[in-house]
Structure formats: C-alpha cells, structure tokens
C-alpha cells in the first residue's frame, strides 16, 4: 500500500497545484486518492450534473471535455497527463459546465474535496491556481486573462531581491502628507525661511483655497534668485515654477512614478482630484524614492541624460535589460514596463541626436534651425520594443527653399546615420529591410512623406500594405512634433477619400497564419532554422497589432499607438464589444511578456518559442491568448465586407 501511495505522490508532485505542496500535505492527499479505470466511450460526469465529492487528475489516457450547444457537442478541452479537471466540486459545488468523455482507456485519480479544502485554506498558491481557472476545462480559463497573469506570478519561486517590486501598484505609495505651503504674495525670503525651519527642499505656493499655483525648490532659489541677484523681498510668485504638474494619490505608484520620470520632476504635487483646481494633499520627493533604488528607471534615465559617451550609454542600456528581466519575472504591470523601456529607448535616441548635431554643426552651419522630427516606427513606434530588436525609424523634416533642399537632405541623412551608429553601438539590431534613418528613402521632407502615404493609400499593393503596417505606427520621439501631427491629418484626409483602403488592410490582417492546428496543437515551423518552434510574432502578436491598427484608423483615433492601449480605447468607443477588446488587450500584454522573457533567456529576439520547453501553465496561458483573435477577425470580416471584396 505504501508503494502505491508513494507512486501517486511522485506523479502528483510533477504537476501544479500539487507541486506547491510540502511533503506532508502531498502524502495526505496521495493516501486519500481513489484510482479509477475508465474504458473508451465511458463518461465520468455530465454537463448539468451536480458536482461530485471529488475532483480528478488524469494519470493516463485521453479525456475530452465537451459542451452541449445548439450546434451540437463542441470540444472545449482535451485533457492529457497531469491535467486537473472537474474542479467545480471545489468552487461552490456548482453543477458541471462540461461533459467528460473518455476517448481512450484511461486511469484517473479522484481526490476527495474534504481532504483538499483544508489545503486550500492554508496554501494561497494552490487556492489561486483554482480561482484563476487553470484547471483544465474551466470555461473561465478563456474569459479572464488578467487572472491568468496574476496566477502565473504566484506560481513562481521567490527570488532574492524584491527591492524593485515597489513599482507594483500592490504596494502603498509613500507620500509626505504634511506639505509646506505659502501664498503667492509672500516674499521669497519668507518662503526660504519656512523651508529652512521645516528642513525641506520645496514649498508649494497655493491660493486661498489651498489650490496649487506653483512650486519653489532649493534649486530654484539658487538659479533664479541668488545667481541672478533677484531681491528676496519680491513675491514668491515671480520665481516659482508654474504651472505645477499634479496627480492624485489613488493614481497608483506606477503612474505617479512615470509622471516624475517623463517630466524630469524632483517633486510631484498630489491634490484631492488630481488637478490644480483642488486642494493639495501630499507630495512625493525623489529624495525619498530614487536614491534608494540603484537600478531604477529614474537612476538609469538620469545617467543617460548626463552622458554623451556611447560606451557608457551601452552599459546603462545593459543594466536596463537586467531591470527588465526582473520586472517581467515578477509580473510588474505591463503598461508600466513598456512605458519605462520606451522612455529609456527614447532618451538614448535623444542623446544620439545630440551627438550627431554636435558632430555636424561645423560642416552644416544653420541646418540645425530647420524643423525636423525623429520618428520611431513599428514596435518602438507602438511603445512595445522591450528588447533591443531590429530598428525601424525615419526622419521627417520641414520643406525648405529649393536652394537649401539638397543641403538639408544631406544634413538630415548624415544626422540619421549618426543616430543609427549610436543605436547599433548600444546593442540594437539593424532592420533587415533597411527601414532606418540612415536610408535616404526614409529621410524626407514633409511633402515627400505625404506623397508616400498618399501612394500607399491610393494604390494598396502588397508592398504598400507591408509598409503601411510599419509606417502607420509612427511616433514622434524628438523634434518638432507638429510636423508629425500634420502628417497624421493628411493620412486621415486621404483615407476619407478612399475608404476601400481599410478593406485592403482588413484583408491583409486576415492573412496571418493560424496559431493552432486542427488538433489544437501549436502550429510550428516545418523547416529551416526554427523547425518545430512556434512563431509568436507572426501567429499571435501580428494578428492583434494589425486588427488594432485597422480599427484605430477606422475610428480616426489619434495619439494612441500602443496595441493594448488601442484595445482599451476601442472598448470605450464600442461598448458592445468592450469585453472582447479588453481581453484582446490583456492577451497582447501576456504575449509581449512571454516574448521578452524568451528573448532574455536565449539572448535573441524571443520570436520563436519551443512549445515543448513551456510548462503546462505557460502553454495553457499562451493558448488562451489566441481566443480573441478569431472573434476579432470575424468582426473585421463583416464590418469591412471582406467576403464581397475583391482585389
């Protein structure tokens, strides 16, 4: 008997949630297991039947979980070795949602609920496993990807250093609630005395309603008062920084912290409703936060902003990769992670432009006065380039006089070459298709860029559609953003003239290969270098990016490039499909995380995954992300009348 119990325990230990149990609890469960032999054609439980006092683990064989619908029986899950199913006995003892059909002779372990309920009470990882719907056959698996992310994070073994987890919104924001204030008519000297007495580095200037008007810091006193010889008797309103940037405490640490990073703030003022038209209620200082975090985004960005040494920039970007890995493995909010990495990449581009302009200043006098805008395209344009994958970028500059046009083209091409040289030195890969700012084709004045987009829209050849999928996601990184805004307006004017362009894009969006085969297995590469690997970019991510882009263009949404943010906005615009769009956004976040982790682990782009190397939970989670794709494609098919559309 002991031999049998030990064998059961050894088997269960290989699969979650039993892998989370200590030896004693595992032995307790194994002792109570009832081993059942089922022949092909039998049914273990039926849809609508009251839940049994046990749930099940498949030891050998195959069992299909089937739902009876108006269209007939539909297979919802195929259970294989180690799958847990029939767990509704644990979740409120509701009737079964599916029927279990034995399709080949099988051995099943039946585990009594009353034994396992005690474990659920004391083991949060096991409880969350079931609550998140990871037991095979639970319909909730396909309906709540956010819970899947949360559960997956809980399954990870704890790592050593958790200092960076402060960025997760599960942690309380550390706020100074006793904020020093004064009135706009108080003198500079009065404000300085108040700061000295309170031993703080800032004071908020407020009106009679305690609404913030501005802020004065130690640095302001040095640079705006002492250095310029300003009289300390003048009103503080004459030297304060205004308007003041405000947020509310409930925004969550990630958003607050990103606000400080993006606006290069040393202090962030908090008000009751997050605007400057409500009372001050708190203050966050970088002294309290940044100095304690050696590998934080703020420290890395500060270091990048203060160096034009390419070797040093490379080292800082390497450190950012270490930070990225930690964030990904610890399930830090994907929106936060993507925003941080985008900010770091953008600062590198900004510094590269500075290097280029300095190097070219003597050879091209006056050219730095020509308005221009550096554009990021593709994944970086969508704020999704977590790894240093291939570059997609371009330069857009203002039209110049005929006498200056050749000189301007030469200058901006050389500037683009300098930027690309720096980015490559920082570890980014070149674009195989040479869609970069060192290619003369993609360094053009506004008038030529307008011609490009007009041509692509009016004559949507396969090549034009390919370029559209990259260039339509352009994002201004540095320079005169009004040029990019004018180009955006032109694009929408052209699309209004030829609505059929959206149907061409729709057809193109449906060309992506399916992620799963007929038997619900991953569609892997059949030949070549990546044989037997799953192309997560082409089969899972590109369908979602293409669909989000198409719907964004159809609604003329401006200023939202990121795929999961696009789906977020679409959920607001089309409430009838809100659930689907929200799930699509969550699916894309999960795919981004998986690809980045794969890339970091294998020091590559992370595009090709080996399904056999994925754990059971990872495989299930990956499959779950595919479910919104087919539904979205059906919507596109109908909305853009693709059944009747002919190229």
């Amino acid at each position: 008997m002991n031999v049998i119990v030990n064998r059961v325990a050894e088997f269960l230990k290989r699969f979650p949630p039993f892998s989370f149990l200590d030896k004693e609890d595992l032995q307790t469960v194994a002792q109570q297991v009832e081993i059942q032999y089922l022949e092909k054609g039998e049914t273990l439980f039926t849809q609508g039947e009251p839940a049994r006092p046990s749930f099940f683990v498949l030891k050998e064989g195959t069992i299909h979980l089937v739902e009876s619908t108006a269209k007939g029986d539909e297979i919802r899950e195929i259970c294989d070795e180690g799958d847990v199913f029939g767990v509704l006995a644990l979740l409120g003892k509701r009737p079964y949602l599916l029927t279990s059909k034995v399709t080949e002779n099988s051995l099943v372990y039946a585990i009594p609920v009353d034994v396992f309920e005690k474990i659920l009470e004391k083991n949060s990882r096991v409880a969350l496993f079931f609550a998140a719907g990871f037991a095979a056959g639970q319909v909730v698996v396909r309906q709540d990807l956010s819970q899947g992310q949360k559960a997956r994070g809980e399954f990870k073994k704890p790592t050593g250093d958790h200092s960076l987890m402060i960025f997760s919104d599960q942690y309380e924001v550390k706020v100074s609630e006793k904020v020093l204030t004064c009135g706009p008519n108080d003198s500079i000297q009065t404000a300085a005395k108040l700061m000295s007495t309170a031993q703080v580095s800032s004071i908020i200037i407020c009106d009679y309603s305690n609404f913030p008007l501005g802020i004065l810091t130690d640095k302001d006193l040095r640079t705006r008062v002492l250095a310029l010889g300003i009289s300390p008797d003048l009103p503080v309103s004459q030297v304060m920084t205004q308007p003041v940037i405000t947020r509310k405490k409930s925004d969550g640490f990630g958003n607050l912290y990103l606000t400080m990073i993006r606006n290069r703030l040393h202090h962030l003022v908090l008000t009751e409703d997050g605007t400057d038209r409500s009372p001050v209620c708190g203050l966050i200082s970088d002294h309290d936060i940044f100095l304690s975090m050696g590998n934080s985004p703020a420290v890395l960005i500060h270091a990048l902003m203060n160096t034009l040494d390419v070797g040093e920039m490379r080292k800082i970007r390497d450190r950012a990769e270490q930070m990225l890995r930690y964030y990904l493995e610890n399930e830090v909010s994907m929106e936060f992670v993507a925003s941080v990495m985008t900010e770091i990449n953008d600062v590198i581009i900004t510094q590269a432009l500075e290097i280029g302009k300095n190097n070219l200043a003597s050879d091209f006098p006056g050219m730095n006065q020509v308005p221009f805008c550096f554009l990021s395209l593709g994944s970086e344009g969508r704020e999704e380039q977590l790894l240093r994958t291939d570059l997609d970028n371009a330069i857009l500059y203002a039209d110049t006089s005929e006498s200056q046009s050749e000189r301007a083209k030469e200058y901006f091409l050389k500037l683009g070459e300098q930027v690309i040289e720096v980015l490559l030195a920082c570890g980014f890969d070149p674009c195989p298709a040479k869609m970069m700012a060192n290619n003369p084709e993609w360094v053009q004045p506004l008038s030529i860029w307008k011609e490009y987009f007009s041509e692509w829209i009016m004559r949507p050849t396969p090549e034009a559609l390919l370029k559209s999928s990259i260039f339509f996601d352009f994002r201004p990184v540095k320079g005169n953003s009004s040029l990019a805004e004018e180009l955006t307006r032109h694009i929408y004017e052209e699309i209004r003239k030829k609505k059929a362009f959206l149907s061409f894009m729709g057809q193109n969006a449906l060309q992506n290969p399916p992620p799963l085969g007929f038997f619900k297995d991953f569609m892997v590469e059949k030949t070549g270098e990546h044989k037997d690997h799953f192309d997560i970019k082409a089969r899972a991510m590109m369908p979602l990016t293409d669909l989000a882009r198409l719907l964004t263009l159809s609604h003329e949404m401006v200023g939202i490039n990121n795929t999961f943010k696009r789906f977020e906005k679409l959920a607001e615009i089309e409430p009838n499909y809100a659930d689907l769009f929200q799930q699509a956004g969550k699916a894309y976040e999960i795919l981004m995380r998986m690809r980045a982790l794969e890339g970091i682990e294998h020091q590559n782009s992370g595009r090709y995954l080996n399904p056999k190397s994925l754990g059971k939970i990872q495989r299930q989670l990956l499959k779950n992300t595919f479910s919104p794709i087919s539904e979205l494609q059906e919507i596109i098919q109908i909305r853009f009348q693709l059944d009747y559309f002919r190229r």
Side-chain angles (χ1 to χ4, degrees):
M1 180 61 95
N2 286 338
V3 172
I4 294 174
V5 170
N6 289 338
R7 285 181 178 173
V8 170
E10 286 173 8
F11 175 82
L12 294 177
K13 183 66 177 175
R14 292 164 47 198
F15 305 98
F18 309 102
S19 54
F20 309 145
L21 303 183
D22 58 32
K23 187 175 181 180
E24 183 180 342
D25 284 341
L26 189 62
Q27 281 292 118
T28 300
V29 171
Q31 287 170 358
Q32 301 297 319
V33 162
E34 177 188 342
I35 302 173
Q36 298 182 7
Y37 173 75
L38 304 170
E39 292 188 351
K40 179 180 178 180
E42 286 191 65
T43 298
L44 187 57
F45 52 78
T46 305
Q47 184 175 333
E49 177 188 333
R52 304 210 181 160
S54 298
F55 65 99
F56 309 98
V57 180
L58 185 60
K59 171 66 169 65
E60 294 175 12
T62 303
I63 291 179
H64 289 183
L65 299 178
V66 177
E67 182 178 9
S68 297
T69 69
K71 299 177 182 178
D73 287 350
E74 295 186 11
I75 298 173
R76 296 302 183 202
E77 193 64 53
I78 298 175
C79 298
D80 55 20
E81 183 187 37
D83 271 344
V84 182
F85 62 103
V87 298
L88 286 174
L90 282 170
L91 303 174
K93 300 178 175 58
R94 294 168 291 168
Y96 291 112
L97 298 177
L98 306 171
T99 297
S100 62
K101 292 188 174 181
V102 182
T103 56
E104 64 178 57
N105 296 346
S106 301
L107 276 180
V108 170
Y109 290 164
I111 301 175
V113 170
D114 56 0
V115 172
F116 215 75
E117 280 179 338
K118 297 172 185 176
I119 292 172
L120 285 174
E121 290 175 7
K122 66 179 183 179
N123 193 317
S124 61
R125 297 173 79 195
V126 175
L128 191 55
F129 177 92
F130 288 107
F134 267 109
Q138 289 303 301
V139 176
V140 71
V141 166
R142 304 189 186 282
Q143 298 299 321
D144 198 343
L145 292 168
S146 60
Q147 278 294 87
Q149 285 178 284
K150 183 180 177 185
R152 188 175 56 144
E154 287 292 318
F155 302 152
K156 292 187 175 296
K157 295 180 180 179
T159 55
D161 176 19
H162 286 266
S163 60
L164 294 180
M165 283 303 290
I166 191 170
F167 301 131
S168 170
D169 283 339
Q170 66 179 296
Y171 288 83
E172 185 179 353
V173 181
K174 296 180 180 179
V175 174
S176 299
E177 294 183 349
K178 293 182 179 179
V179 182
L180 187 66
T181 63
C182 70
N185 296 321
D186 289 338
S187 69
I188 297 170
Q189 185 171 23
T190 298
K193 283 183 177 178
L194 288 171
M195 290 166 64
S196 178
T197 302
Q199 295 186 330
V200 295
S201 60
S202 65
I203 187 168
I204 312 300
I205 295 83
C206 298
D207 64 12
Y208 63 90
S209 299
N210 202 34
F211 294 178
L213 301 173
I215 184 170
L216 185 73
T217 67
D218 281 344
K219 183 180 178 182
D220 295 332
L221 290 171
R222 293 194 304 273
T223 59
R224 298 181 184 178
V225 180
L226 295 175
L228 300 179
I230 299 293
S231 169
D233 295 325
L234 289 174
V236 70
S237 58
Q238 292 194 18
V239 294
M240 68 185 182
T241 297
Q242 60 176 335
V244 64
I245 294 175
T246 58
R247 291 291 184 271
K248 56 184 177 181
K249 181 179 177 180
S250 60
D251 279 347
F253 188 81
N255 288 328
L256 297 176
Y257 187 48
L258 280 172
T259 299
M260 297 182 77
I261 292 173
R262 285 175 172 159
N263 294 283
R264 318 293 187 240
L265 300 179
H266 295 288
H267 303 84
L268 179 61
V269 178
L270 304 179
T271 61
E272 290 182 3
D273 71 359
T275 73
D276 60 4
R277 303 309 302 157
S278 68
V280 173
C281 64
L283 184 73
I284 299 179
S285 165
D286 63 2
H287 178 75
D288 302 325
I289 301 174
F290 299 162
L291 296 182
S292 65
M293 300 180 293
N295 231 25
S296 76
V299 171
L300 297 178
I301 289 170
H302 179 77
L304 282 170
M305 290 174 61
N306 286 278
T307 184
L308 294 177
D309 182 283
V310 178
E312 185 63 23
M313 291 166 66
R314 170 64 186 255
K315 290 177 183 176
I316 295 168
R317 188 56 180 80
D318 289 343
R319 286 168 59 193
E321 205 101 317
Q322 298 168 14
M323 177 189 71
L324 171 64
R325 179 172 197 151
Y326 188 92
Y327 285 174
L328 294 170
E329 289 179 344
N330 287 280
E331 305 292 329
V332 174
S333 159
M334 205 63 218
E335 182 177 354
F336 179 83
V337 174
S339 297
V340 164
M341 297 309 296
T342 297
E343 192 70 22
I344 288 171
N345 292 343
D346 286 359
V347 173
I348 292 175
I349 291 170
T350 299
Q351 297 303 84
L353 284 165
E354 197 64 30
I355 292 170
K357 286 192 285 186
N358 291 344
N359 292 341
L360 298 172
S362 59
D363 293 336
F364 293 87
M367 277 296 110
N368 59 1
Q369 299 303 310
V370 178
F372 84 100
C373 188
F374 189 92
L375 303 175
S376 279
L377 316 169
S379 61
E380 176 62 6
R382 296 191 302 272
E383 302 180 64
E384 296 167 7
Q385 190 178 32
L386 305 184
L387 304 174
R388 283 171 281 189
T389 49
D390 53 299
L391 297 166
D392 293 303
N393 45 48
I395 289 180
L396 158 68
Y397 59 92
D399 288 280
T400 60
S401 64
E402 191 173 339
S403 61
Q404 274 192 315
S405 62
E406 286 303 315
R407 192 67 171 154
K409 184 167 184 62
E410 183 184 2
Y411 169 73
F412 285 112
L413 180 58
K414 287 188 178 296
L415 180 61
E417 289 171 348
Q418 298 255 329
V419 172
I420 297 303
E421 189 177 320
V422 172
L423 292 174
L424 295 178
C426 286
F428 291 87
D429 291 334
C431 173
K434 298 184 179 180
M435 291 182 179
M436 297 182 291
N438 62 354
N439 183 339
E441 189 175 4
W442 311 124
V443 180
Q444 297 289 351
L446 177 61
S447 58
I448 300 298
W449 277 109
K450 285 183 176 180
E451 289 178 13
Y452 281 168
F453 279 96
S454 295
E455 176 69 17
W456 297 336
I457 292 167
M458 295 302 166
R459 296 175 181 81
T461 63
E463 183 184 356
L465 290 169
L466 173 63
K467 288 175 179 175
S468 297
S469 68
I470 297 171
F471 285 90
F472 272 53
D473 290 336
F474 69 79
R475 177 175 61 86
V477 173
K478 185 69 177 177
N480 192 324
S481 59
S482 63
L483 291 167
E485 291 167 6
E486 186 174 343
L487 184 57
T488 298
R489 285 193 294 272
H490 172 77
I491 289 168
Y492 281 123
E493 286 170 4
E494 295 294 271
I495 291 175
R496 288 186 208 112
K497 293 177 188 175
K498 186 170 181 178
K499 290 284 189 182
F501 172 72
L502 296 177
S503 295
F504 279 99
M505 286 198 78
Q507 274 201 334
N508 198 56
L510 300 183
Q511 299 305 309
N512 297 296
L516 296 176
F518 182 78
F519 294 105
K520 306 298 182 184
D521 291 326
F522 292 105
M523 290 292 287
V524 296
E525 303 302 295
K526 302 299 182 187
T527 58
E529 179 187 355
H530 303 291
K531 186 176 183 293
D532 296 328
H533 283 64
F534 177 74
D535 186 344
I536 192 172
K537 176 182 176 180
R539 295 185 184 273
M541 298 180 77
M542 279 179 59
L544 290 171
T545 57
D546 288 349
L547 292 163
R549 182 188 305 109
L550 173 59
L551 291 168
T552 295
L553 288 170
S554 71
H555 284 291
E556 297 194 14
M557 286 161 48
V558 176
I560 305 177
N561 279 25
N562 178 274
T563 300
F564 52 81
K565 289 181 183 176
R566 280 172 167 171
F567 280 122
E568 227 173 64
K569 187 64 178 176
L570 286 166
E572 293 178 21
I573 295 173
E574 299 191 44
N576 289 347
Y577 294 110
D579 288 345
L580 175 60
F581 290 138
Q582 286 165 2
Q583 289 301 303
K586 288 169 185 170
Y588 196 78
E589 291 184 54
I590 292 169
L591 292 167
M592 277 181 65
R593 189 185 303 273
M594 282 190 168
R595 179 179 177 182
L597 281 169
E598 178 75 12
I600 290 173
E601 183 68 30
H602 296 96
Q603 293 297 296
N604 56 31
S605 70
R607 176 171 177 171
Y608 295 95
L609 285 72
N610 181 359
K612 294 179 181 177
S613 71
L614 300 176
K616 188 165 192 61
I617 292 171
Q618 288 177 303
R619 289 200 307 274
Q620 183 63 61
L621 187 62
L622 182 55
K623 285 183 178 181
N624 293 346
T625 65
F626 304 154
S627 58
I629 296 174
S630 57
E631 291 184 60
L632 286 168
Q633 288 178 332
E634 286 178 15
I635 291 172
I636 297 301
Q637 190 91 18
I638 296 168
R639 184 169 298 184
F640 297 98
Q641 300 181 343
L642 300 186
D643 285 337
Y644 309 102
F645 187 77
R646 295 289 181 270
R647 290 190 180 184

